[in-house]
Structures are given as C-alpha cells and as structure tokens.
Amino acid sequence: MSKALQITNLSKTYGNGFTALKGVSLSVEKGDFFALLGANGAGKSTMIGIISSLVNKTSGEVNIHGFDLDTQRSEAKAMIGLVPQEFNFNVFEPVEEILLNQAGYYGVGRSEAKVRAKQLLEQLELWDKRKNMASELSGGMKRRLMIARALIHRPQLLILDEPTAGVDIEIRRSMWDFLKKLNEAGITIILTTHYLEEAENLCRNIAIINKGDIVENTSMKALLSHLQTETFILDLKEPLDALPETDEFILRQIDASTLEVELNKDHSINRIFEVLNTHGIRVSSLRNKTNRLEELFIELVQQSNHDTTQEVSA
Amino acid sequence: MTLTDQMTALKTILIKEVLRFSRIWVQTILPPAITMALYFVIFGKLIGSAIDTSATDGYSYIDYIVPGLIMMSVITNSYSNVVSSFYSAKYQGHIQELLVSPTPNTIILIGFIGGGVIRGLMVGAIVTLVSLFFTDMDVQHPFLTVITLFLTSVLFATAGLINAVYAKSFDDISIVPVFVLTPLTYLGGVFYSIKLLSPFWQTMSLVNPVLYMVNGFRYGILGVSDISIYISLAIILIFIVILFSIAYFLLDKGVGIRS
C-alpha cells in the first residue's frame, strides 16, 4: 500500500552553495499525524517547499499517495493542502474570493466551491468576515483563512508549517481541536512547529531534522521513552528551612517555598510526596520544569551538532 | 487534471484578473480615457488642423492618428496589467496559490495574458468611443482591425509577463514601459507616416516592431499603411511565438518564482 508521503534521498543545494537537505529519506503513513521538528534553518521549510512544488529539488524522489511528483505532478499536487509559514494570500481580495479562486485552481467549479467555502468558513469561525478584505483580518483569522484555503479542494495530505505561530492560546486550542477532527476524518497531517507541547499533544510520529539531516524518526511514544529523568517544580505551602535528605531523587531549592525535583523514570512520582510528607513538607502545586519533548529535542540536536563537529575534526 | 478542470482553472484566473483591475478602475480604466481625450483635443484638433493632409495619405490629421492612439492605449494597458498583476502576485507571495495547484503552466500563462488582453481591449474600446466625439470612424477592414488589435494585445501582455518574471522591485516593472515601450510606441508611426522621414530613418524605423502593429491597425481602419498588412501580421505572430515560448520556459523553470 502506498504511503501518504515517501521521500527518498532528497537533496537541495541553493544557488549560493548552501545545502539545505543532504539526501533525506522519510515516509509518513496514511492517516498519521506527523511532527517535523527542527531549529530555524534546519531544512524543514525547504523540505515542505519541495513537496509542495515551491522549491526545485537538486536530487531525490518525492511520492505523494502513490503519485510521483516528477512524472505525475498534477495528481500528486491535487493530494496536498499547504498552510505555509508566511501569509501568502492577496490581502486586497475578499476572504470568500480567496477560497473560491483556490478551489478553481484545482478544477472545482464556482457553485460547488461556494458550498465548500461556506462550510469551511463556518467551521473556522470566519463566515462573518467572508466579505472583508483579507488585510482587515487579525493574525489568528489570517492563519485560519490559510487553513480553510488549504482544505478547499479536499486534500488527502495537509501540511502545516508553523500554523499556530503568533496565535493566542484560546485560538491555538481551538485550532488543535479542528486539526484533530480532520485527522480523525482520515486526513494525514504533517506539522512543523516551534511549540513542542503542540507536537506532543497532537502527533503520533515524529522526525527531527538538523542541518539538513534527519536525526530521529520514530513514534512520539518511543521518543519520549528515551527520557531518563524528568524534572518537576514544586510550590510549597510553607517556606522551607532545610532540604530533606534522600538518595531516591535529586532535590534542589530554588527559593524559600519552591523546590526542583529530578526524578529517574524508574521511580514513581508518588515517592516524592511520600518522602516530603515524612518531613512535614506540604506541596500546593506541581508542574514540569520544561516540556518533555523539548528536553529530548535539545538533547538530540546537540548530539547531532557534536557528531558533525567530530566528523569535521576527523 | 482533466480538460474541464483546466478550463475551470483558466476561467478562475480570468475572473480574478478582471475583478482585480475592475476594483481599481480609477487607476486602470479611467486614466487612458482622459489621456487619449487630451491627445485628440491637442494633437488632433488644435495642432492637427494646421497639418497638411498630403503628409497623412490624404486623411485629416486626427483621422490619421486615431488608430495609432487606440493601439498605443491597448499596448500600454495590456502590458501594464500583466506586469503589475504578476509582479504583485510574486511580491505578496500569492503566486504560490497557483504554483501549489495542479493548474498547468500553459493555463497560468494564458490566464494572465488573457487578463491583460481583456483590459487592453476594454480600454481600446473606451478610447474608440472617446475618439467618436472628435471624428467619424469608418472601418475599412473590420476583421483585420480586430485581429491586429487582439494579436498586438496578446504580444504585449506576454512581454509584460516576462518583465514581471525578472522584476525584483517595483522600479523594475516601470523601467521597461518608460524607457522601452513608450519610445518604441512614439517612434512607431503613431503620430506620423515614416514616409516623412529620411531614407536612413525610414530603414531604422523598420526595426521597431510597434511600427508593424500601428500600421496594421491603421490599414484595418483607414485602408492605408506604410507596411504590407501581411508583413505586419506575420511579424506580430512571430513575436508572439517567440515571447510565449520564452514565458513558458521561464515559468516551467520557476525563474523568479521558485528557489
């Protein structure tokens, strides 16, 4: 059975000599919710650009739902919906017109496009703005407009390049719900984001790209299981005079009523409370110090950078 | 993409283009009508009445320059519509809406060129109507008149697209119209017959492609021309084939629009 996306030995060297992708191979199953993570300049947007025909590849193959991007370009393109990082619609066009035009470019007639546009604009809470010029929309509305535009031709693979950048928390959560529903309906989603909490919440599989190479490609669950320790911040009910002694986990005092606890993944979080309780320390709240995926992401990227440096030195 | 889908895509681009220049009609449709009315008054009536008809194949000066002025407005508007529309699409990034879609490059090309042609012919029609306030027009060869106007519009719309592909700033889209298009049009026999020039400059004028278009159109309306109508049409067609091939090649390679 064909994959939603199959990339083989994909390379891109720009005219200025910069190599953004170094023979990358990657596959995404149909129906997956896939995270593509990487620092700025890692090669994510180049990869997405090539998949969506906005960037010319240097070499390699891209196959979308069984269609080769070189030899079956039209069929392959029809499978993809793209939500790019930058706003790229005509700001002097009305919202509904932008959707109708995009539908037309995929061969969807005006009357059918109007039905679809109404449905999408209502779902994304933009129906009231349909006659407004795109320039009059807020940042969050513009992001939602790009999602609606990407879906107007009913693609099988939706690619979102940092879709929630600059969007407030409330709208971000509602966009997550919308994307989850799309994925449940069978649309494969590839997401790049700098909010690692977003990737952890939404995605089942993940690839991490660094300096044009894939440094990790696995399931979210498997990746998170690599985490050996987890760090929590505890807010205490009363100020603490002295740290209790324990060798089960590492305790650090941040200030009078805040503790940092580093816990090995073999230990249960319950033990923290049991130990603190025996010392009469009462906890009012607990939270992760950093997002778990964030810790792993930094670790993997640093490891990859270290390996590259060693190769160069050798 | 089926042929029906391609026709839907083409219709979409054409509607989008027409809506674009219609929304800003004060900038796109009105100015040529006013400018040409001034040409008709000043050159046609005031100065033209003092010009001997022997210099204009026996026609009054205003009758002689009307075809050239209509052609000039068609050339300018066909060109500027495509160059500004395509460059804006590049600049704002919404050309990507088309690039990610399955719409073939030929349809994208025909769509943008078609938009330029529609504006060019619309402005041409308005200028023709304005000219009727100043002169009676008795069209000698209606079919040749329309076909010359249409093909010239196609030619300059295509040239506008090539300009837009290479343009990197808004300055770049005004350089060609100001420093190339306007001189070629003014020196292309809009206001005079090349028979008035010395043999050397008559020969030099033959290098100017606009001369063939203006004379072809003048032949269609007045029945007189410095150039054979067949040569005029052949030259226009050759230029269209060359420019369309270049434009297709540039779009296919993604020059200026894909990294």
Side-chain angles (χ1 to χ4, degrees):
Chain A
M1 200 172 110
S2 62
K3 310 268 186 190
L5 175 69
Q6 179 81 54
I7 290 173
T8 314
N9 296 327
L10 191 64
S11 296
K12 173 65 186 178
T13 301
Y14 285 98
N16 60 6
F18 174 70
T19 300
L21 291 175
K22 303 167 183 169
V24 166
S25 294
L26 182 72
S27 71
V28 177
E29 296 291 337
K30 284 180 182 168
D32 201 355
F33 207 134
F34 192 92
L36 181 63
L37 304 185
N40 288 332
K44 304 184 300 287
S45 294
T46 298
M47 188 189 284
I48 289 172
I50 294 171
I51 297 166
S52 49
S53 304
L54 295 175
V55 174
N56 292 326
K57 64 184 165 68
T58 304
S59 63
E61 288 170 18
V62 178
N63 195 288
I64 300 149
H65 271 255
F67 297 113
D68 186 276
L69 195 56
D70 289 328
T71 57
Q72 296 162 295
R73 183 166 282 263
S74 173
E75 291 87 346
K77 280 176 157 188
M79 290 290 144
I80 304 175
L82 174 70
V83 181
Q85 204 176 112
E86 307 286 341
F87 299 129
N88 70 339
F89 40 74
N90 186 346
V91 291
F92 303 113
E93 268 179 4
V95 168
E96 190 180 22
E97 202 66 36
I98 289 171
L99 297 194
L100 299 183
N101 288 338
Q102 191 67 19
Y105 302 152
Y106 286 81
V108 181
R110 207 85 172 163
S111 54
E112 169 63 17
K114 280 187 177 177
V115 175
R116 293 188 192 185
K118 184 172 190 289
Q119 196 183 3
L120 283 166
L121 291 174
E122 280 176 347
Q123 283 175 343
L124 287 156
E125 296 169 36
L126 288 170
W127 180 243
D128 293 346
K129 303 285 179 187
R130 66 190 181 281
K131 302 288 179 203
N132 288 53
M133 291 290 167
S135 57
E136 296 165 13
L137 301 183
S138 68
M141 288 174 183
K142 285 175 180 164
R143 292 262 166 225
R144 282 179 281 154
L145 171 60
M146 292 210 295
I147 293 177
R149 187 186 59 180
L151 292 169
I152 194 80
H153 63 285
R154 297 189 175 152
Q156 296 298 308
L157 172 63
L158 181 65
I159 301 173
L160 302 119
D161 196 358
E162 296 184 29
T164 54
V167 169
D168 69 43
I169 293 167
E170 195 184 348
I171 294 173
R172 192 183 305 164
R173 299 271 168 181
S174 72
M175 281 167 76
W176 288 3
D177 289 340
F178 182 75
L179 295 175
K180 277 179 186 167
K181 279 180 194 156
L182 283 179
N183 184 242
E184 282 161 14
I187 296 178
T188 310
I189 298 180
I190 298 177
L191 173 85
T192 81
T193 179
H194 282 297
Y195 301 112
L196 300 186
E197 180 202 359
E198 185 166 271
E200 191 178 339
N201 263 314
L202 295 172
C203 302
R204 287 189 286 281
N205 290 295
I206 183 168
I208 295 177
I209 186 166
N210 187 45
K211 294 183 177 173
D213 276 323
I214 300 276
V215 294
E216 186 62 272
N217 183 10
T218 182
S219 72
M220 189 67 77
K221 211 171 169 181
L223 183 67
L224 291 174
S225 70
H226 291 174
L227 208 61
Q228 294 302 314
T229 59
E230 205 163 349
T231 308
F232 299 98
I233 301 291
L234 307 180
D235 293 316
L236 308 179
K237 284 268 186 197
E238 294 96 19
L240 190 67
D241 295 329
L243 275 177
E245 286 188 9
T246 174
D247 52 6
E248 291 183 59
F249 39 79
I250 300 164
L251 273 176
R252 283 183 287 269
Q253 189 163 5
I254 306 296
D255 59 40
S257 48
T258 313
L259 280 182
E260 187 178 292
V261 185
E262 198 176 311
L263 182 73
N264 194 292
K265 75 169 186 180
D266 299 334
H267 288 90
S268 160
I269 196 169
N270 291 353
R271 278 302 293 155
I272 299 175
F273 296 104
E274 286 168 12
V275 170
L276 294 178
N277 212 25
T278 56
H279 290 84
I281 300 168
R282 292 192 301 153
V283 178
S284 61
S285 67
L286 170 145
R287 64 181 186 278
N288 273 94
K289 186 183 179 188
T290 53
N291 177 272
R292 298 180 301 164
L293 184 57
E294 197 170 306
E295 285 180 31
L296 276 166
F297 175 76
I298 292 166
E299 195 181 307
L300 284 163
V301 168
Q302 282 175 346
Q303 180 63 41
S304 159
N305 289 343
H306 178 70
D307 292 348
T308 313
T309 315
Q310 280 194 330
E311 274 175 34
V312 171
S313 309
Chain B
M1 211 180 188
T2 64
L3 188 63
T4 314
D5 291 346
Q6 291 183 26
M7 288 305 108
T8 304
L10 176 60
K11 198 171 131 193
T12 305
I13 300 172
L14 289 173
I15 291 173
K16 182 184 158 94
E17 284 301 294
V18 171
L19 286 176
R20 189 195 73 83
F21 72 70
S22 303
R23 266 196 288 267
I24 47 170
W25 64 274
V26 177
Q27 297 170 41
T28 53
I29 307 292
L30 193 60
I34 293 172
T35 310
M36 288 305 150
L38 290 171
Y39 274 117
F40 292 140
V41 172
I42 296 164
F43 291 102
K45 286 287 176 192
L46 300 178
I47 299 173
S49 58
I51 294 175
D52 187 358
T53 55
S54 64
T56 52
D57 289 321
Y59 286 92
S60 68
Y61 189 63
I62 189 161
D63 283 346
Y64 191 81
I65 64 168
V66 160
L69 290 174
I70 294 170
M71 185 58 100
M72 191 161 93
S73 55
V74 170
I75 288 173
T76 312
N77 282 277
S78 303
Y79 189 94
S80 58
N81 191 74
V82 183
V83 76
S84 61
S85 175
F86 197 85
Y87 180 71
S88 296
K90 252 176 63 171
Y91 182 75
Q92 287 191 49
H94 58 88
I95 189 69
Q96 293 179 1
E97 292 176 340
L98 273 162
L99 298 181
V100 299
S101 80
T103 306
N105 289 334
T106 40
I107 297 293
I108 296 176
L109 265 181
I110 295 169
F112 273 97
I113 293 167
V117 170
I118 293 171
R119 176 169 151 195
L121 296 183
M122 197 182 274
V123 169
I126 291 169
V127 172
T128 306
L129 286 176
V130 172
S131 73
L132 295 177
F133 287 101
F134 302 93
T135 179
D136 296 322
M137 194 182 289
D138 185 16
V139 180
Q140 300 298 311
H141 307 284
F143 177 73
L144 286 175
T145 304
V146 172
I147 199 76
T148 309
L149 203 64
F150 174 77
L151 291 176
T152 304
S153 184
V154 170
L155 193 161
F156 281 94
T158 315
L161 195 134
I162 295 170
N163 185 176
V165 164
Y166 283 112
K168 288 191 169 71
S169 69
F170 282 98
D171 285 345
D172 293 343
I173 66 170
S174 60
I175 285 172
V176 175
V178 171
F179 295 104
V180 180
L181 212 54
T182 306
L184 284 181
T185 313
Y186 275 69
L187 297 171
V190 171
F191 296 102
Y192 57 86
S193 163
I194 58 165
K195 289 173 200 156
L196 298 176
L197 304 175
S198 65
F200 173 77
W201 287 110
Q202 279 191 39
T203 310
M204 287 303 289
S205 294
L206 295 175
V207 180
N208 181 357
V210 177
L211 180 80
Y212 299 88
M213 295 152 207
V214 169
N215 275 280
F217 189 59
R218 183 173 286 140
Y219 177 81
I221 292 180
L222 302 179
V224 294
S225 171
D226 293 337
I227 311 282
S228 153
I229 182 66
Y230 301 109
I231 291 175
S232 288
L233 287 175
I235 294 280
I236 297 170
L237 282 170
I238 289 167
F239 267 98
I240 287 175
V241 171
I242 293 170
L243 293 181
F244 193 88
S245 305
I246 293 171
Y248 182 82
F249 174 80
L250 294 173
L251 208 56
D252 197 47
K253 291 288 167 202
V255 176
I257 48 175
R258 273 200 295 263
S259 38

